[in-house]
């Protein structure tokens, strides 16, 4: 492990993440403020900020918790918001299977959206030799480590200064911009662009639904349209064969 900290790619991972760390910190700061102002106790907010480490699902769950929504709604919303990590995990599996279980668990915990995008941009394919694998591990450690530190430290600062920072400042918009950047970078095919557009339109159309259920509607609409578009494409490919 010590060799990873000394590897040049560890510093490269930190350097790449530093370009978006300000947006992550601003988002984490406002999430910390929102947790306290939603009625969570200091202990609950600290534990959620450190252990959950999932900004989008935290922001989706906080108003539901504040409105005393049923537990199944909170869990279902958080689950659906984080479904994208199943795709990320499947893609990153070949990169990480050489690691022991405890390291894979830590890597999974530390990897967020921007970490995934930056890592796969830097390394489009899994390493085939020990040198490249070591470089990938070092880059991921530096990249994910700074991302986690930026989020958690800012979140704890927001918790501590919750009564001094008004939510009207709208600093969380920096995090939204970061996610928009992630979405645009991942929209690399026509189907992904269509699914993003459908999800956005569905979320806006169902905005009036209570308990943030428009998020679930958006996800369901995007999945449904992709399945409908994918079947004809598969049929054509099989016909060509």
């Amino acid at each position: 492990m010590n060799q990873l900290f000394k590897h040049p790619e560890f510093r490269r991972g930190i350097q790449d993440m530093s370009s978006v760390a300000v947006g992550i910190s601003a988002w984490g700061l406002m999430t910390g403020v929102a947790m306290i102002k939603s009625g969570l106790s200091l202990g609950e907010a600290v534990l959620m900020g450190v252990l959950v480490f999932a900004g989008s699902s935290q922001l989706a769950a906080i108003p539901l918790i504040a409105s005393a929504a049923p537990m199944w709604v909170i869990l279902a919303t958080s689950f659906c918001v984080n479904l994208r990590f199943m795709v990320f995990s499947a893609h990153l599996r070949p990169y990480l299977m050489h690691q022991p279980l405890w390291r894979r668990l830590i890597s999974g915990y530390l990897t967020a959206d921007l970490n995934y995008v930056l890592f796969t941009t830097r390394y489009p394919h899994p390493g085939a030799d020990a040198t490249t694998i070591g470089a990938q591990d070092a880059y991921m450690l530096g990249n994910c480590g700074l991302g986690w530190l930026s989020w958690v430290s800012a979140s704890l600062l927001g918790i501590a200064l919750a009564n001094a920072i008004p939510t009207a400042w709208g600093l969380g918009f920096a995090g939204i911009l970061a996610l928009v950047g992630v979405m645009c970078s991942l929209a690399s095919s026509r189907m992904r662009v269509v699914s993003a557009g459908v999800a956005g339109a569905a979320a806006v159309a169902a905005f009036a639904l209570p308990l943030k259920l428009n998020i679930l509607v958006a996800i369901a609409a995007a999945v449904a349209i992709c399945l409908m578009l994918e079947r004809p494409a598969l049929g054509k490919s099989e016909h060509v064969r």
Side-chain angles (χ1 to χ4, degrees):
M1 182 65 74
N2 290 334
Q3 295 178 348
L4 297 180
F5 291 103
K6 299 177 182 179
H7 198 287
E9 284 298 293
F10 176 77
R11 294 188 294 274
R12 176 59 186 267
I14 293 177
Q15 179 183 347
D16 289 351
M17 177 51 65
S18 63
S19 62
V20 295
V22 174
I24 293 175
S25 298
W27 196 13
L29 181 70
M30 293 312 298
T31 301
V33 173
M35 285 190 290
I36 292 296
K37 293 194 173 183
S38 67
L40 294 182
S41 67
L42 177 62
E44 291 170 341
V46 170
L47 286 175
M48 188 177 195
V50 175
L51 298 180
V52 176
F53 184 47
S56 54
S57 64
Q58 283 179 247
L59 291 177
I62 287 171
L64 298 178
I65 295 173
S67 62
M71 180 60 69
W72 72 267
V73 174
I74 299 173
L75 294 176
T77 301
S78 301
F79 176 79
C80 291
V81 169
N82 282 336
L83 275 176
R84 66 193 186 281
F85 286 106
M86 295 182 65
V87 180
F88 296 169
S89 298
H91 186 192
L92 292 176
R93 187 177 187 275
Y95 292 90
L96 303 178
M97 283 308 295
H98 66 280
Q99 298 179 359
L101 177 61
W102 67 270
R103 280 186 58 188
R104 296 201 302 272
L105 291 173
I106 293 175
S107 297
Y109 165 69
L110 292 177
T111 302
D113 303 82
L114 292 173
N115 303 121
Y116 170 79
V117 172
L118 293 172
F119 178 79
T120 54
T121 299
R122 178 69 172 165
Y123 293 102
H125 306 288
D129 56 84
T131 301
T132 306
I133 291 174
Q136 291 176 349
D137 287 351
Y139 181 91
M140 176 170 280
L141 179 61
N143 192 277
C144 294
L146 179 58
W148 181 87
L149 184 62
S150 300
W151 174 269
V152 172
S153 58
S155 183
L156 294 178
L157 181 63
I159 293 171
L161 301 178
N163 294 324
I165 301 177
T167 53
W169 283 9
L171 294 179
F173 188 65
I176 295 174
L177 291 178
L179 281 184
V180 170
V182 172
M183 182 188 70
C184 292
S185 64
L186 292 177
S188 56
S189 67
R190 184 178 300 176
M191 186 172 293
R192 289 181 178 180
V193 172
V194 171
S195 64
V198 169
V204 173
F207 184 75
L209 290 176
L211 304 178
K212 299 289 184 179
L213 290 176
N214 62 317
I215 297 176
L216 301 182
V217 171
I219 295 171
V223 171
I225 194 67
C226 285
L227 290 175
M228 291 172 61
L229 294 175
E230 191 175 32
R231 286 176 182 174
L234 291 174
K236 288 181 180 179
S237 62
E238 292 175 357
H239 181 70
V240 171
R241 291 179 186 176

